[in-house]
């Protein structure tokens, strides 16, 4: 690996350590309850699957597609934003289809950043937010995300103290892994900061619809003039249980979208067209299935958080995402998140994600993914009780 400069900048993936321990335990016959990876376990709504099957039988859809996504899907994306947030976009210049949010974000950063550029990224955060910049050869400055009220103040202070000034500011709310949520005023302040210092805002909006307790997640692009400085990346993975379908999209500033489109024209021929046709049906179709998916996660959230509280591990209920972010109980805090996760697999037969995998700001926390049914979550709580 010493010969490969980009690879040298990428540390071993922390989550692979836990995955290996989990798999070794399962090979030995252990029943490990996996609350680690945020991999939705529910079925994609049937009307979307039916459209996929229908489109897949048409030979015309077996050819190369368009790297930017077919026009009707880009139009459906823009219509969805108009209905949902009151935002208007040009499907030709301000919207592009991506192979999930992760690919879109990675190629977007690769197309807009390079050596000498600086990205501001929260810590903790989803790893690709940090490592997309590192893969592009840029530098990263991590800004602690303790609460949204003072996060913009920390960003402002960091901008004034950093040279060269940042080219990109990465945001993601509702936030993975911390489940932090914000209001529209937060984005207003972020846009003002970006405009003042000529910073590109990239907002990962993967959990736009997984919200609870009457909370509604705002879009960055609801802020007037946000389109002047930024883009937003969204995905169907979580909203419709379509993680394996790899359908995402990016909307916003036409120059930034154009950079991504240019890069993707060299990188790929687009997503299998039947998947895009089914995605149109998802975006234009009934929304009752989204509520059903949210209800499942909310019930699981309540079972997990209430159960952990009963055994002495108090965690605040998140208002969004498919995760619960919990500070390691005090009696085990000296272990750090990786060793604590190893302990949970060994003694509780439960796998969760170590907070250190999301950056140095996460080492006193672990992340639970709500991807097991309520019975299995109760079983996990009994196992964790033995450890505590």
């Amino acid at each position: 690996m010493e010969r490969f400069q980009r690879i040298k900048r990428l540390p071993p993936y922390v989550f692979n350590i836990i995955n290996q321990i989990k798999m070794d335990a399962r090979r030995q016959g252990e029943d490990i309850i996996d609350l680690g990876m945020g991999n939705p376990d529910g079925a994609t709504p049937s009307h979307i699957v039916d459209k996929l099957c229908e489109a897949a039988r048409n030979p015309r859809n077996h050819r190369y597609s368009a790297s930017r996504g077919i026009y009707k899907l880009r139009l459906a994306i823009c219509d969805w934003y108009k209905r949902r947030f009151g935002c208007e976009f040009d499907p030709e210049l301000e919207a592009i289809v991506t192979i999930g949010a992760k690919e879109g974000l990675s190629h977007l950063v690769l197309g807009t950043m390079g050596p000498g550029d600086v990205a501001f990224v929260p810590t903790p955060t989803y790893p690709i937010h940090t490592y997309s910049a590192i893969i592009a050869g840029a530098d990263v400055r991590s800004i602690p995300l303790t609460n949204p009220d003072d996060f913009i103040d920390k960003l402002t202070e960091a901008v004034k103290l950093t040279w060269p000034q940042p080219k990109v500011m990465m945001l993601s709310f509702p936030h993975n892994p911390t489940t932090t949520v914000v209001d529209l005023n937060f984005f207003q302040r972020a846009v003002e900061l970006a405009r003042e210092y000529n910073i590109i805002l990239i907002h990962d909006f993967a959990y736009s619809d997984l919200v609870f307790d009457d909370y509604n997640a705002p879009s960055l692009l609801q802020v007037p003039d946000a389109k002047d400085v930024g883009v937003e990346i969204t995905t169907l993975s979580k909203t419709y249980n379509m993680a394996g379908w790899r359908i995402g999209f990016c909307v916003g500033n036409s120059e930034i979208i154009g950079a991504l489109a240019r890069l993707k024209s060299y990188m790929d021929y687009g997503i299998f067209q039947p998947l895009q046709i089914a995605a149109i049906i998802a975006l234009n179709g009934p929304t009752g299935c989204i509520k059903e998916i949210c209800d499942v996660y909310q019930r699981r959230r309540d079972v997990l958080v209430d159960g952990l509280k009963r055994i002495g591990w108090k965690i605040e209920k998140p208002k969004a995402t498919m995760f619960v972010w919990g500070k390691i109980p005090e009696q085990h805090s000296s272990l750090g998140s990786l060793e604590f996760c190893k302990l949970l697999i060994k003694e509780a037969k439960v796998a969760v994600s170590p907070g250190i995998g999301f950056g140095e700001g996460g080492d006193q926390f672990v992340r639970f993914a709500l991807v097991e049914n309520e019975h299995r979550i109760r079983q996990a709580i009994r196992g964790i009780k033995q450890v505590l």
Side-chain angles (χ1 to χ4, degrees):
M1 292 299 180
E2 289 299 313
R3 294 187 296 156
F4 310 133
Q5 290 302 313
R6 292 191 195 280
I7 303 304
K8 281 173 62 177
R9 297 191 72 193
L10 300 177
Y13 209 48
V14 171
F15 305 113
N16 286 346
I17 299 172
I18 296 300
N19 287 338
Q20 188 60 53
I21 295 171
K22 175 187 69 181
M23 295 309 298
D24 290 344
R26 284 179 168 172
R27 290 190 188 101
Q28 295 171 17
E30 300 280 3
D31 177 21
I32 305 297
I33 301 169
D34 191 358
L35 303 176
M37 183 178 179
N39 192 2
D41 62 318
T44 304
S46 58
H47 67 284
I48 303 172
V49 177
D50 290 344
K51 190 62 180 182
L52 168 67
C53 295
E54 176 191 322
R57 294 190 184 98
N58 187 338
R60 289 182 300 177
N61 293 324
H62 299 173
R63 308 165 79 181
Y64 287 128
S65 186
S67 62
R68 295 171 59 226
I70 60 176
Y71 176 78
K72 287 186 177 180
L73 178 52
R74 285 182 277 124
L75 182 61
I77 290 163
C78 294
D79 288 344
W80 180 82
Y81 258 96
K82 187 173 182 178
R83 291 193 308 271
R84 184 85 163 72
F85 301 107
C87 304
E88 295 198 19
F89 302 104
D90 180 345
E92 289 287 4
L93 300 176
E94 297 175 332
I96 187 170
V97 180
T98 63
I99 308 172
K102 197 171 182 180
E103 175 273 329
L105 194 146
S106 302
H107 279 154
L108 176 61
V109 173
L110 188 62
T112 55
M113 300 195 76
D117 291 332
V118 176
F120 276 7
V121 180
T123 184
T125 197
Y126 187 52
I128 198 60
H129 297 159
T130 299
Y131 289 103
S132 59
I134 289 174
I135 291 168
D139 296 316
V140 173
R141 179 161 182 187
S142 297
I143 310 298
L145 175 60
T146 49
N147 66 75
D149 292 334
D150 64 3
F151 184 65
I152 298 295
D153 293 335
K154 291 178 181 177
L155 284 172
T156 303
E157 181 180 0
V159 169
K160 294 176 180 178
L161 296 176
T162 299
W163 187 261
Q165 288 186 338
K167 186 173 187 178
V168 166
M169 187 185 302
M170 202 78 68
L171 300 174
S172 181
F173 297 98
H175 189 253
N176 176 16
T178 70
T179 74
T180 299
V181 296
V182 298
D183 57 20
L184 194 58
N185 181 63
F186 174 92
F187 287 133
Q188 178 70 57
R189 295 181 64 200
V191 169
E192 290 171 358
L193 179 63
R195 287 177 65 87
E196 181 177 357
Y197 292 97
N198 195 29
I199 302 170
I200 295 172
L201 272 180
I202 299 176
H203 182 227
D204 181 351
F205 203 24
Y207 299 93
S208 57
D209 287 306
L210 292 193
V211 292
F212 320 118
D213 304 331
D214 298 321
Y215 173 73
N216 289 307
S219 164
L220 165 73
L221 296 166
Q222 286 177 272
V223 176
D225 301 327
K227 199 163 57 172
D228 292 345
V229 295
V231 294
E232 191 162 74
I233 296 176
T234 316
T235 174
L236 304 189
S237 294
K238 310 305 189 298
T239 301
Y240 296 96
N241 284 340
M242 293 172 65
W245 297 53
R246 310 314 301 135
I247 303 282
F249 44 91
C250 183
V251 299
N253 181 274
S254 60
E255 184 182 10
I256 300 171
I257 297 293
L260 177 56
R262 175 77 65 88
L263 188 69
K264 281 177 66 63
S265 71
Y266 284 91
M267 294 287 200
D268 68 73
Y269 280 114
I271 303 164
F272 185 43
Q273 196 149 292
L275 292 169
Q276 297 188 61
I277 293 169
I280 296 170
I281 297 303
L283 290 169
N284 290 338
T287 59
C289 58
I290 301 174
K291 184 180 185 309
E292 291 173 4
I293 291 168
C294 285
D295 287 345
V296 168
Y297 285 125
Q298 183 165 342
R299 289 194 297 270
R300 293 176 179 182
R301 176 203 69 170
D302 292 345
V303 169
L304 177 63
V305 176
D306 291 344
L308 291 174
K309 182 179 179 181
R310 284 196 301 273
I311 64 173
W313 190 351
K314 294 182 180 180
I315 299 174
E316 187 175 345
K317 287 183 179 178
K319 292 183 178 180
T321 78
M322 56 187 291
F323 305 112
V324 169
W325 180 247
K327 190 168 187 179
I328 298 171
E330 186 175 350
Q331 65 267 37
H332 294 290
S333 62
S334 62
L335 291 175
S337 59
L338 184 57
E339 292 304 316
F340 182 65
C341 287
K342 291 179 183 179
L343 177 66
L344 288 184
I345 293 178
K346 181 180 179 181
E347 302 293 340
K349 313 306 177 188
V350 176
V352 298
S353 293
I356 190 64
F358 302 98
E360 67 271 20
D363 197 29
Q364 288 300 302
F365 297 81
V366 295
R367 190 195 71 178
F368 299 83
L370 302 171
V371 293
E372 294 270 13
N373 63 42
E374 294 165 47
H375 170 74
R376 294 281 283 172
I377 290 173
R378 292 187 180 96
Q379 183 181 341
I381 292 165
R382 291 194 293 270
I384 293 170
K385 181 180 180 180
Q386 296 178 25
V387 174
L388 299 189

